[in-house]
Amino acid sequence: MTDRYAVIGNPIKHSKSPFIHREFSKQTQQDLNYTAELVDLGQVKKFVDAFKKNNGKGLNVTVPFKQDAFELADKLTERAQRAGAVNTLSLSDEIAGDTTDGVGLVNDLSRNHKIIFKNKRILILGAGGAVRGVIESILNTAPAHLIIANRTIEKALTLKNIFSDLGSIDGCGFNELNNEKVDLIINGTSASLSGELPPIPDNILNNQATVYDMMYSAEPTPFMKWGQQQNAGLCLDGLGMLVEQAAESFYIWRGIRPDTKPVIKKLKETL
Ligand code: NDP
Protein backbone atom coordinates (compact mmCIF):
# COMPACT_ATOMS: atom_id res chain seq x y z
CA MET A 1 0.00 0.00 0.00
CA THR A 2 1.34 3.44 -0.98
CA ASP A 3 2.36 5.73 1.90
CA ARG A 4 -0.04 8.64 2.27
CA TYR A 5 0.75 12.27 3.12
CA ALA A 6 -1.40 15.39 3.10
CA VAL A 7 -1.62 19.06 3.98
CA ILE A 8 -4.51 19.96 6.28
CA GLY A 9 -6.04 23.42 6.65
CA ASN A 10 -9.23 25.42 6.34
CA PRO A 11 -9.43 26.73 3.64
CA ILE A 12 -7.03 24.46 1.73
CA LYS A 13 -8.10 24.57 -1.91
CA HIS A 14 -5.34 26.97 -2.96
CA SER A 15 -2.49 25.10 -1.26
CA LYS A 16 0.62 24.61 -3.41
CA SER A 17 1.88 21.78 -1.18
CA PRO A 18 0.42 18.89 -3.25
CA PHE A 19 2.13 20.27 -6.37
CA ILE A 20 5.45 20.68 -4.53
CA HIS A 21 5.45 17.26 -2.87
CA ARG A 22 4.41 15.48 -6.06
CA GLU A 23 7.35 17.14 -7.82
CA PHE A 24 9.65 16.03 -4.99
CA SER A 25 8.39 12.45 -5.11
CA LYS A 26 8.78 12.24 -8.91
CA GLN A 27 12.28 13.68 -8.69
CA THR A 28 13.43 11.32 -5.90
CA GLN A 29 11.39 8.35 -7.17
CA GLN A 30 9.62 7.96 -3.85
CA ASP A 31 6.34 6.08 -4.12
CA LEU A 32 3.91 8.22 -2.14
CA ASN A 33 0.55 9.91 -2.40
CA TYR A 34 0.12 13.56 -1.26
CA THR A 35 -3.23 15.34 -1.14
CA ALA A 36 -4.81 18.53 0.28
CA GLU A 37 -7.47 17.83 2.91
CA LEU A 38 -10.06 20.27 4.19
CA VAL A 39 -10.60 19.67 7.91
CA ASP A 40 -13.47 21.14 9.90
CA LEU A 41 -12.64 23.33 12.88
CA GLY A 42 -12.24 21.25 16.03
CA GLN A 43 -11.83 18.01 14.03
CA VAL A 44 -8.04 17.82 13.71
CA LYS A 45 -7.49 14.95 16.16
CA LYS A 46 -10.29 12.91 14.63
CA PHE A 47 -8.85 13.48 11.15
CA VAL A 48 -5.29 12.61 12.18
CA ASP A 49 -6.36 9.35 13.87
CA ALA A 50 -8.37 8.24 10.82
CA PHE A 51 -5.59 9.26 8.40
CA LYS A 52 -3.05 7.28 10.41
CA LYS A 53 -5.23 4.16 10.26
CA ASN A 54 -5.41 4.59 6.47
CA ASN A 55 -1.65 4.35 5.93
CA GLY A 56 -1.11 8.06 6.61
CA LYS A 57 2.57 8.63 7.38
CA GLY A 58 2.82 12.38 7.61
CA LEU A 59 0.95 15.67 7.52
CA ASN A 60 1.72 19.27 6.80
CA VAL A 61 -0.39 21.63 8.84
CA THR A 62 -1.41 25.13 7.82
CA VAL A 63 -3.75 27.90 9.01
CA PRO A 64 -5.64 27.60 11.36
CA PHE A 65 -4.40 24.27 12.77
CA LYS A 66 -0.71 24.80 13.64
CA GLN A 67 -1.61 25.23 17.31
CA ASP A 68 -3.88 22.14 17.35
CA ALA A 69 -1.06 20.11 15.80
CA PHE A 70 1.29 21.38 18.50
CA GLU A 71 -1.12 20.22 21.18
CA LEU A 72 -1.89 16.79 19.78
CA ALA A 73 1.72 15.75 19.10
CA ASP A 74 3.04 13.10 21.54
CA LYS A 75 6.53 14.51 21.19
CA LEU A 76 7.98 17.76 19.83
CA THR A 77 11.36 18.88 18.57
CA GLU A 78 13.00 21.66 20.56
CA ARG A 79 12.45 24.13 17.72
CA ALA A 80 8.73 23.31 17.57
CA GLN A 81 8.46 23.72 21.32
CA ARG A 82 9.88 27.23 21.13
CA ALA A 83 7.88 28.15 18.06
CA GLY A 84 4.71 27.08 19.88
CA ALA A 85 3.38 25.67 16.60
CA VAL A 86 3.80 22.62 14.38
CA ASN A 87 3.64 22.46 10.58
CA THR A 88 4.91 18.90 10.15
CA LEU A 89 3.56 15.75 11.79
CA SER A 90 5.18 12.33 11.41
CA LEU A 91 2.76 9.53 12.14
CA SER A 92 3.99 6.24 13.56
CA ASP A 93 3.20 4.64 16.94
CA GLU A 94 3.71 8.12 18.31
CA ILE A 95 2.83 11.42 16.63
CA ALA A 96 5.94 13.61 16.29
CA GLY A 97 5.63 17.37 15.70
CA ASP A 98 8.17 19.66 14.11
CA THR A 99 8.29 23.08 12.46
CA THR A 100 10.17 23.66 9.21
CA ASP A 101 9.28 27.30 8.37
CA GLY A 102 12.48 28.70 9.94
CA VAL A 103 14.75 26.29 8.10
CA GLY A 104 12.76 27.05 4.95
CA LEU A 105 13.31 30.80 5.22
CA VAL A 106 17.01 30.56 6.07
CA ASN A 107 17.71 27.95 3.37
CA ASP A 108 15.95 30.04 0.74
CA LEU A 109 17.95 33.14 1.60
CA SER A 110 21.31 31.49 2.23
CA ARG A 111 21.36 28.66 -0.33
CA ASN A 112 19.21 30.00 -3.16
CA HIS A 113 20.18 33.66 -2.89
CA LYS A 114 23.60 33.46 -1.22
CA ILE A 115 22.65 35.90 1.54
CA ILE A 116 25.03 35.95 4.50
CA PHE A 117 23.42 36.40 7.93
CA LYS A 118 26.50 36.27 10.12
CA ASN A 119 27.25 39.64 11.78
CA LYS A 120 24.42 41.33 9.85
CA ARG A 121 21.68 43.52 11.29
CA ILE A 122 18.29 41.96 10.59
CA LEU A 123 14.80 43.41 11.02
CA ILE A 124 11.60 41.34 11.02
CA LEU A 125 8.23 43.05 10.70
CA GLY A 126 5.36 41.31 12.48
CA ALA A 127 5.11 39.13 15.58
CA GLY A 128 2.49 36.54 14.62
CA GLY A 129 2.81 32.78 14.12
CA ALA A 130 5.01 33.01 11.02
CA VAL A 131 7.55 35.25 12.73
CA ARG A 132 7.66 33.17 15.91
CA GLY A 133 8.36 30.13 13.71
CA VAL A 134 11.48 31.61 12.08
CA ILE A 135 13.27 33.47 14.90
CA GLU A 136 15.23 30.49 16.25
CA SER A 137 16.61 29.59 12.82
CA ILE A 138 17.63 33.19 12.19
CA LEU A 139 19.39 33.54 15.54
CA ASN A 140 21.22 30.25 14.85
CA THR A 141 22.94 32.00 11.92
CA ALA A 142 24.72 34.38 14.34
CA PRO A 143 23.51 37.77 13.12
CA ALA A 144 24.90 40.87 14.86
CA HIS A 145 21.38 41.83 15.98
CA LEU A 146 17.76 40.93 15.30
CA ILE A 147 14.94 43.45 15.75
CA ILE A 148 11.29 42.40 15.87
CA ALA A 149 9.00 45.35 15.07
CA ASN A 150 5.25 44.94 15.40
CA ARG A 151 2.09 47.07 15.33
CA THR A 152 1.18 45.66 18.77
CA ILE A 153 4.42 46.24 20.67
CA GLU A 154 3.63 43.78 23.48
CA LYS A 155 3.75 40.84 21.04
CA ALA A 156 7.21 41.87 19.82
CA LEU A 157 8.42 42.12 23.43
CA THR A 158 7.00 38.68 24.23
CA LEU A 159 8.96 37.18 21.33
CA LYS A 160 12.10 38.96 22.46
CA ASN A 161 11.73 37.31 25.88
CA ILE A 162 11.09 33.83 24.45
CA PHE A 163 14.23 33.88 22.28
CA SER A 164 16.65 36.20 24.11
CA ASP A 165 18.91 33.36 25.31
CA LEU A 166 19.71 32.46 21.68
CA GLY A 167 21.27 35.75 20.56
CA SER A 168 21.04 39.53 20.41
CA ILE A 169 17.34 40.35 19.93
CA ASP A 170 15.05 43.31 20.60
CA GLY A 171 11.34 44.02 20.24
CA CYS A 172 9.76 47.40 19.40
CA GLY A 173 6.98 49.28 17.63
CA PHE A 174 7.30 50.62 14.06
CA ASN A 175 7.76 54.20 15.29
CA GLU A 176 10.98 53.23 17.09
CA LEU A 177 12.72 52.30 13.83
CA ASN A 178 13.63 55.83 12.70
CA ASN A 179 17.34 55.69 13.49
CA GLU A 180 17.91 52.07 12.47
CA LYS A 181 20.05 50.73 9.62
CA VAL A 182 19.67 47.09 8.59
CA ASP A 183 21.15 44.66 6.04
CA LEU A 184 18.13 42.38 5.76
CA ILE A 185 14.47 43.18 6.33
CA ILE A 186 11.83 40.43 6.36
CA ASN A 187 8.12 41.17 6.17
CA GLY A 188 6.29 38.61 8.28
CA THR A 189 3.12 40.68 8.68
CA SER A 190 -0.02 39.78 6.83
CA ALA A 191 -0.27 43.36 5.46
CA SER A 192 0.60 42.25 1.91
CA LEU A 193 -2.45 39.97 1.87
CA SER A 194 -4.61 43.11 1.78
CA GLY A 195 -2.26 45.03 -0.51
CA GLU A 196 -0.96 47.18 2.36
CA LEU A 197 2.54 48.22 3.31
CA PRO A 198 3.63 48.09 6.97
CA PRO A 199 4.65 51.59 8.21
CA ILE A 200 8.44 51.31 7.76
CA PRO A 201 10.57 54.48 7.70
CA ASP A 202 12.53 55.34 4.54
CA ASN A 203 16.33 55.18 4.54
CA ILE A 204 16.48 52.20 6.88
CA LEU A 205 18.42 50.00 4.43
CA ASN A 206 22.18 49.68 4.39
CA ASN A 207 23.91 49.53 1.02
CA GLN A 208 23.02 46.33 -0.91
CA ALA A 209 20.43 45.32 1.70
CA THR A 210 17.99 42.48 1.02
CA VAL A 211 14.21 42.92 1.24
CA TYR A 212 12.21 39.70 1.73
CA ASP A 213 8.43 39.32 1.85
CA MET A 214 7.16 36.01 3.29
CA MET A 215 4.12 36.52 1.08
CA TYR A 216 4.30 35.61 -2.60
CA SER A 217 2.25 36.42 -5.66
CA ALA A 218 2.61 36.59 -9.43
CA GLU A 219 3.37 40.32 -9.21
CA PRO A 220 5.85 41.98 -6.81
CA THR A 221 4.15 42.65 -3.44
CA PRO A 222 3.78 46.24 -2.10
CA PHE A 223 6.67 45.48 0.25
CA MET A 224 8.93 44.37 -2.61
CA LYS A 225 7.99 47.52 -4.55
CA TRP A 226 8.94 49.59 -1.50
CA GLY A 227 12.32 47.78 -1.46
CA GLN A 228 12.88 48.64 -5.11
CA GLN A 229 12.13 52.31 -4.39
CA GLN A 230 14.63 52.22 -1.53
CA ASN A 231 17.33 50.83 -3.85
CA ALA A 232 17.61 47.47 -2.10
CA GLY A 233 20.24 45.11 -3.51
CA LEU A 234 17.70 42.30 -3.78
CA CYS A 235 13.88 42.12 -3.37
CA LEU A 236 12.48 38.62 -2.90
CA ASP A 237 9.14 36.98 -2.19
CA GLY A 238 8.35 33.94 -0.02
CA LEU A 239 7.83 31.35 -2.74
CA GLY A 240 11.29 29.91 -2.14
CA MET A 241 10.56 29.68 1.59
CA LEU A 242 7.40 27.73 0.84
CA VAL A 243 9.28 25.19 -1.27
CA GLU A 244 12.20 24.98 1.17
CA GLN A 245 9.96 24.34 4.18
CA ALA A 246 8.28 21.59 2.15
CA ALA A 247 11.70 20.11 1.33
CA GLU A 248 12.58 19.99 5.03
CA SER A 249 9.28 18.18 5.77
CA PHE A 250 10.00 15.74 2.93
CA TYR A 251 13.44 15.10 4.42
CA ILE A 252 11.95 14.45 7.88
CA TRP A 253 9.52 11.90 6.40
CA ARG A 254 11.60 10.21 3.71
CA GLY A 255 15.26 10.88 4.69
CA ILE A 256 15.98 12.34 1.23
CA ARG A 257 16.62 15.98 0.34
CA PRO A 258 14.96 16.94 -2.94
CA ASP A 259 16.52 19.49 -5.29
CA THR A 260 14.35 22.57 -4.71
CA LYS A 261 15.56 24.82 -7.55
CA PRO A 262 13.61 23.19 -10.43
CA VAL A 263 10.49 23.03 -8.26
CA ILE A 264 10.68 26.73 -7.35
CA LYS A 265 11.08 27.56 -11.04
CA LYS A 266 8.15 25.37 -12.08
CA LEU A 267 5.92 26.71 -9.29
CA LYS A 268 6.68 30.31 -10.27
CA GLU A 269 5.45 29.56 -13.79
CA THR A 270 2.09 28.40 -12.41
CA LEU A 271 1.32 31.59 -10.42
P1 NDP B 1 -0.72 36.17 12.04
O1 NDP B 1 -2.15 36.49 11.87
O2 NDP B 1 -0.30 35.22 13.12
O3 NDP B 1 0.08 37.55 12.31
C1 NDP B 1 -0.12 38.67 11.50
C2 NDP B 1 0.93 39.73 11.80
O4 NDP B 1 0.79 40.78 10.86
C3 NDP B 1 0.79 40.37 13.19
O5 NDP B 1 2.09 40.68 13.67
C4 NDP B 1 -0.01 41.65 12.86
O6 NDP B 1 0.22 42.69 13.80
C5 NDP B 1 0.60 42.02 11.54
N1 NDP B 1 -0.25 42.87 10.67
C6 NDP B 1 -1.42 42.53 10.08
N2 NDP B 1 -1.87 43.55 9.30
C7 NDP B 1 -0.97 44.55 9.41
C8 NDP B 1 -0.87 45.85 8.84
N3 NDP B 1 -1.81 46.33 8.00
N4 NDP B 1 0.21 46.62 9.15
C9 NDP B 1 1.16 46.15 10.00
N5 NDP B 1 1.12 44.92 10.57
C10 NDP B 1 0.07 44.13 10.27
O7 NDP B 1 -0.21 35.69 10.59
P2 NDP B 1 1.01 34.71 10.26
O8 NDP B 1 2.13 35.08 11.14
O9 NDP B 1 0.54 33.31 10.26
O10 NDP B 1 1.33 35.07 8.72
C11 NDP B 1 1.98 36.26 8.32
C12 NDP B 1 2.37 36.23 6.85
O11 NDP B 1 3.36 35.25 6.59
C13 NDP B 1 1.22 35.91 5.89
O12 NDP B 1 1.31 36.82 4.82
C14 NDP B 1 1.51 34.49 5.42
O13 NDP B 1 1.01 34.28 4.12
C15 NDP B 1 3.04 34.48 5.44
N6 NDP B 1 3.62 33.12 5.56
C16 NDP B 1 4.42 32.66 4.53
C17 NDP B 1 5.01 31.40 4.60
C18 NDP B 1 5.84 30.91 3.43
O14 NDP B 1 6.19 29.71 3.41
N7 NDP B 1 6.21 31.74 2.49
C19 NDP B 1 4.82 30.53 5.78
C20 NDP B 1 3.99 31.11 6.81
C21 NDP B 1 3.42 32.37 6.67
P3 NDP B 1 -0.60 42.76 15.20
O15 NDP B 1 0.09 41.79 16.11
O16 NDP B 1 -0.46 44.16 15.65
O17 NDP B 1 -2.02 42.36 14.90
Side-chain angles (χ1 to χ4, degrees):
M1 209 164 142
T2 305
D3 289 347
R4 289 182 65 201
Y5 296 86
V7 57
I8 58 170
N10 190 336
I12 200 63
K13 206 165 69 227
H14 300 294
S15 173
K16 309 286 183 203
S17 293
F19 176 87
I20 296 169
H21 282 277
R22 284 170 200 160
E23 289 296 318
F24 288 167
S25 61
K26 269 191 269 171
Q27 184 198 96
T28 58
Q29 296 174 349
Q30 292 282 301
D31 181 25
L32 60 89
N33 183 292
Y34 190 110
T35 53
E37 304 288 341
L38 179 72
V39 173
D40 288 333
L41 301 183
Q43 299 298 309
V44 177
K45 181 154 179 23
K46 195 172 152 202
F47 176 87
V48 173
D49 288 342
F51 190 71
K52 204 170 132 180
K53 283 195 188 111
N54 269 306
N55 218 34
K57 302 293 183 195
L59 289 167
N60 282 131
V61 182
T62 188
V63 180
F65 298 131
K66 288 186 179 185
Q67 184 78 40
D68 300 66
F70 177 86
E71 278 155 24
L72 73 79
D74 299 313
K75 55 181 184 183
L76 294 164
T77 56
E78 229 176 284
R79 63 188 182 188
Q81 226 144 20
R82 255 196 222 256
V86 154
N87 78 339
T88 306
L89 290 171
S90 302
L91 312 176
S92 56
D93 292 339
E94 282 187 311
I95 299 176
D98 201 349
T99 178
T100 64
D101 284 335
V103 173
L105 172 76
V106 169
N107 282 354
D108 186 36
L109 277 159
S110 62
R111 293 187 185 171
N112 300 336
H113 300 287
K114 312 289 176 237
I115 301 301
I116 293 162
F117 289 73
K118 197 166 184 298
N119 296 330
K120 295 290 164 71
R121 292 184 67 81
I122 302 175
L123 167 63
I124 305 193
L125 309 176
V131 169
R132 184 166 169 176
V134 301
I135 293 176
E136 177 167 347
S137 297
I138 293 176
L139 288 175
N140 284 343
T141 65
H145 189 53
L146 175 63
I147 306 161
I148 314 289
N150 195 44
R151 191 171 57 182
T152 312
I153 299 176
E154 291 72 27
K155 286 198 212 165
L157 295 175
T158 300
L159 292 190
K160 174 209 159 132
N161 290 334
I162 293 172
F163 294 95
S164 60
D165 60 317
L166 296 180
S168 174
I169 179 170
D170 241 323
C172 65
F174 289 111
N175 57 4
E176 291 164 71
L177 293 173
N178 287 321
N179 297 317
E180 280 298 341
K181 283 282 183 192
V182 296
D183 304 294
L184 167 63
I185 173 166
I186 299 163
N187 182 21
T189 73
S190 43
S192 293
L193 290 174
S194 48
E196 285 173 70
L197 183 66
I200 343 144
D202 286 344
N203 304 318
I204 194 171
L205 300 181
N206 276 331
N207 193 26
Q208 289 305 307
T210 302
V211 166
Y212 193 99
D213 200 339
M214 285 198 198
M215 244 271 298
Y216 58 85
S217 61
E219 299 301 321
T221 66
F223 185 66
M224 290 168 72
K225 286 185 188 153
W226 170 85
Q228 284 155 3
Q229 286 157 10
Q230 300 292 313
N231 294 318
L234 206 53
C235 297
L236 303 165
D237 72 13
L239 193 76
M241 172 180 172
L242 180 74
V243 176
E244 293 294 343
Q245 63 79 26
E248 183 72 7
S249 297
F250 194 88
Y251 176 70
I252 290 168
W253 295 327
R254 309 298 295 189
I256 296 178
R257 276 193 195 285
D259 181 6
T260 49
K261 281 214 172 104
V263 182
I264 294 171
K265 185 169 178 282
K266 218 165 163 180
L267 188 58
K268 228 172 228 162
E269 287 160 9
T270 70
L271 290 182

Coordinates of all heavy atoms in Angstrom, one line a residue, residues 23 27 39 45 52 74 80 111-112 121 156 165 183-184 193 228 249 265:
E23 N 6.1 16.9 -7.1 CA 7.3 17.1 -7.8 C 8.5 16.5 -7.1 O 9.4 15.8 -7.7 CB 7.6 18.7 -8.0 CG 6.7 19.4 -8.9 CD 6.8 18.9 -10.4 OE1 7.9 18.7 -10.8 OE2 5.8 18.7 -11.0
Q27 N 10.8 13.4 -8.6 CA 12.3 13.7 -8.7 C 13.1 12.6 -7.9 O 14.2 12.2 -8.4 CB 12.5 15.1 -8.1 CG 13.9 15.6 -8.3 CD 14.2 16.8 -7.3 OE1 14.7 16.6 -6.2 NE2 13.8 18.0 -7.7
V39 N -10.2 20.2 6.6 CA -10.6 19.7 7.9 C -11.5 20.7 8.6 O -11.2 21.9 8.6 CB -9.3 19.3 8.8 CG1 -9.7 18.9 10.2 CG2 -8.5 18.2 8.1
K45 N -7.9 16.2 15.5 CA -7.5 15.0 16.2 C -8.2 13.8 15.5 O -7.6 12.8 15.2 CB -7.8 15.0 17.7 CG -7.3 13.7 18.3 CD -7.0 13.8 19.8 CE -6.6 12.5 20.4 NZ -6.1 11.4 19.5
K52 N -4.1 8.2 10.0 CA -3.0 7.3 10.4 C -3.5 5.8 10.2 O -2.7 5.0 9.7 CB -2.8 7.5 11.9 CG -1.5 7.1 12.4 CD -1.3 7.6 13.8 CE -0.7 6.5 14.7 NZ -0.5 7.0 16.1
D74 N 2.6 13.8 20.3 CA 3.0 13.1 21.5 C 4.4 13.6 21.9 O 4.8 13.6 23.1 CB 3.1 11.6 21.3 CG 1.8 11.0 20.9 OD1 0.8 11.3 21.6 OD2 1.6 10.3 19.9
A80 N 10.2 23.2 17.6 CA 8.7 23.3 17.6 C 8.2 23.8 18.9 O 7.3 24.6 19.0 CB 8.1 22.0 17.2
R111 N 20.9 29.6 0.8 CA 21.4 28.7 -0.3 C 20.9 29.2 -1.7 O 21.7 29.2 -2.6 CB 20.7 27.3 -0.1 CG 21.3 26.6 1.1 CD 20.7 25.2 1.2 NE 21.2 24.5 2.4 CZ 20.7 23.4 2.8 NH1 19.8 22.7 2.1 NH2 21.1 22.9 4.0
N112 N 19.7 29.6 -1.8 CA 19.2 30.0 -3.2 C 19.7 31.4 -3.6 O 19.8 31.7 -4.7 CB 17.7 29.9 -3.2 CG 17.2 28.5 -2.9 OD1 17.9 27.6 -3.1 ND2 15.9 28.4 -2.4
R121 N 22.8 43.0 10.5 CA 21.7 43.5 11.3 C 20.4 43.2 10.5 O 20.2 43.5 9.3 CB 21.8 45.0 11.4 CG 23.0 45.5 12.3 CD 23.0 47.0 12.6 NE 21.8 47.4 13.3 CZ 21.8 47.3 14.7 NH1 22.8 46.8 15.4 NH2 20.7 47.8 15.3
A156 N 5.8 41.9 20.2 CA 7.2 41.9 19.8 C 8.1 41.7 21.1 O 9.1 40.9 21.0 CB 7.6 43.2 19.2
D165 N 17.7 34.1 25.0 CA 18.9 33.4 25.3 C 19.7 32.9 24.1 O 20.8 32.3 24.2 CB 18.5 32.2 26.2 CG 17.5 31.2 25.5 OD1 16.6 31.7 24.8 OD2 17.7 30.0 25.6
D183 N 20.6 45.3 7.3 CA 21.1 44.7 6.0 C 20.1 43.7 5.4 O 20.2 43.4 4.2 CB 22.4 43.8 6.4 CG 23.4 44.7 7.1 OD1 24.0 45.6 6.4 OD2 23.7 44.4 8.3
L184 N 19.2 43.3 6.3 CA 18.1 42.4 5.8 C 16.8 42.7 6.5 O 16.8 42.9 7.7 CB 18.5 40.9 6.1 CG 17.5 39.8 5.9 CD1 17.0 39.8 4.5 CD2 18.0 38.5 6.3
L193 N -1.2 40.7 2.3 CA -2.5 40.0 1.9 C -3.6 40.9 1.5 O -4.4 40.6 0.6 CB -2.9 39.1 3.0 CG -2.1 37.9 3.4 CD1 -2.6 37.2 4.6 CD2 -2.0 36.9 2.2
Q228 N 12.3 48.1 -3.8 CA 12.9 48.6 -5.1 C 13.1 50.2 -5.1 O 14.1 50.7 -5.5 CB 12.0 48.2 -6.3 CG 12.2 46.8 -6.7 CD 10.9 46.2 -7.4 OE1 10.0 46.9 -7.7 NE2 11.0 44.9 -7.7
S249 N 10.3 19.2 5.3 CA 9.3 18.2 5.8 C 9.5 16.9 5.0 O 9.5 15.8 5.7 CB 7.9 18.7 5.4 OG 7.5 19.8 6.1
K265 N 11.2 27.0 -9.7 CA 11.1 27.6 -11.0 C 9.7 27.2 -11.6 O 9.0 28.0 -12.2 CB 12.2 27.0 -11.9 CG 12.3 27.6 -13.3 CD 13.6 27.2 -14.0 CE 13.7 27.8 -15.4 NZ 12.9 27.0 -16.3

